Amino acid sequence: MFRLLNAERMKLKRSPVWLAFLIMPIVPALLGTLNYMGNIEILQSEWYSLWTQHTLFTDYFFLPVMIGIYCVYIMRLEHNNHNWNKVLTMPQSRTTVFLSKLITASFMVFISELWIGILFIISGFVVGMANPPYMQIAVWCLFGTLGGIVVAAIQLMLSLFIKSFALPIGISFAGGLSGLVFLAKGLGHIWPYSLMAYGMNSNAPQKILESGYTEFIIICIVYIFLFTIISNVILSKKDI
């Protein structure tokens, strides 16, 4: 496993994916801050109101696309030059191969959430706020990471058999939009593409998760386990 993880790290070392990581979160942070400043007479809860504006753009548009890009790139390297033939003849189980890619994508999700949290705090200071709720921001980002790992598991699964670069990213973008719909219907705690926004309390940051943190964690773990099993079946049966 450690050798596989090191190989994935080396693939990403000089990857253009890092540009997406650095630049894309800045856009929703800027849009969310401008939206907050334009409606400051209505949005009276300072840090909490600013968080709703940031996550409105981040969770439903930019972050799903970022995760889609990460996962497509991780899988595309294997699709090129028949690299799957080399990977699958290694003395490692196919489940281990998939898990190494999921762990790599999960790390990318984690540092993306960290960067999003930093940009949020900077934005709050820029608009004149003080005393950011650091602990709550950390909780929002950690549970957002867990929800993002669910999305990564789905996108990696899709990228196993979709060799196109654009199509899985388009599916991830559509999934982000569907997450908004399911949250509006009160089903955000069960729809996989809603879990990231649900975990980040994007709609009501002052409150704890309605379903409870334990239930949220269980649902995320079940989805990750499910998509890992499906991906293992695909790797075992499909002639890649």
Side-chain angles (χ1 to χ4, degrees):
M1 174 63 81
F2 289 109
R3 293 176 63 185
L4 288 171
L5 289 173
N6 189 51
E8 296 296 336
R9 181 188 62 81
M10 293 177 65
K11 292 173 188 175
L12 290 171
K13 190 173 182 179
R14 292 183 175 87
S15 165
V17 165
W18 291 103
L19 290 175
F21 159 71
L22 289 172
I23 296 172
M24 288 186 69
I26 296 175
V27 179
L30 180 61
L31 292 174
T33 302
L34 292 174
N35 201 45
Y36 170 80
M37 294 176 67
N39 297 278
I40 199 167
E41 68 281 355
I42 301 173
L43 303 170
Q44 298 290 324
S45 299
E46 294 196 336
W47 287 103
Y48 297 111
S49 295
L50 182 63
W51 182 253
T52 63
Q53 301 310 300
H54 273 227
T55 54
L56 173 65
F57 296 100
T58 300
D59 289 340
Y60 305 117
F61 302 100
F62 288 90
L63 194 50
V65 171
M66 287 174 61
I67 294 174
I69 292 172
Y70 297 159
C71 295
V72 167
Y73 185 81
I74 289 170
M75 287 298 186
R76 188 172 179 82
L77 294 173
E78 312 305 350
H79 288 310
N80 291 340
N81 301 317
H82 305 288
N83 284 336
W84 273 119
N85 294 334
K86 301 174 184 177
V87 172
L88 296 180
T89 55
M90 294 174 61
Q92 298 287 344
S93 70
R94 300 190 178 198
T95 300
T96 304
V97 170
F98 180 81
L99 285 176
S100 69
K101 295 182 179 299
L102 180 58
I103 292 170
T104 302
S106 299
F107 174 73
M108 297 295 288
V109 174
F110 172 74
I111 59 176
S112 295
E113 288 280 354
L114 181 62
W115 180 223
I116 287 166
I118 292 170
L119 288 171
F120 171 66
I121 293 171
I122 293 172
S123 299
F125 287 145
V126 167
V127 299
M129 297 181 191
N131 302 316
Y134 291 111
M135 288 302 298
Q136 285 184 291
I137 295 169
V139 170
W140 296 334
C141 291
L142 284 173
F143 283 101
T145 298
L146 186 56
I149 294 172
V150 173
V151 176
I154 300 172
Q155 293 300 130
L156 285 172
M157 179 193 70
L158 293 173
S159 295
L160 275 173
F161 58 86
I162 300 177
K163 296 182 180 182
S164 163
F165 188 86
L167 183 55
I169 297 173
I171 293 172
S172 192
F173 176 72
L177 293 179
S178 73
L180 178 60
V181 175
F182 276 81
L183 271 174
K185 299 283 187 181
L187 299 173
H189 62 294
I190 59 173
W191 179 243
Y193 281 99
S194 297
L195 291 172
M196 189 160 48
Y198 193 77
M200 294 173 77
N201 275 21
S202 61
N203 291 343
Q206 297 98 321
K207 302 177 181 178
I208 64 171
L209 299 183
E210 293 179 2
S211 64
Y213 292 120
T214 302
E215 182 179 337
F216 175 80
I217 293 170
I218 292 172
I219 290 172
C220 288
I221 291 174
V222 168
Y223 271 128
I224 293 167
F225 187 70
L226 174 64
F227 293 120
T228 299
I229 291 175
I230 295 173
S231 298
N232 187 52
V233 171
I234 293 171
L235 282 171
S236 299
K237 302 294 184 182
K238 188 173 178 63
D239 183 12
I240 299 176

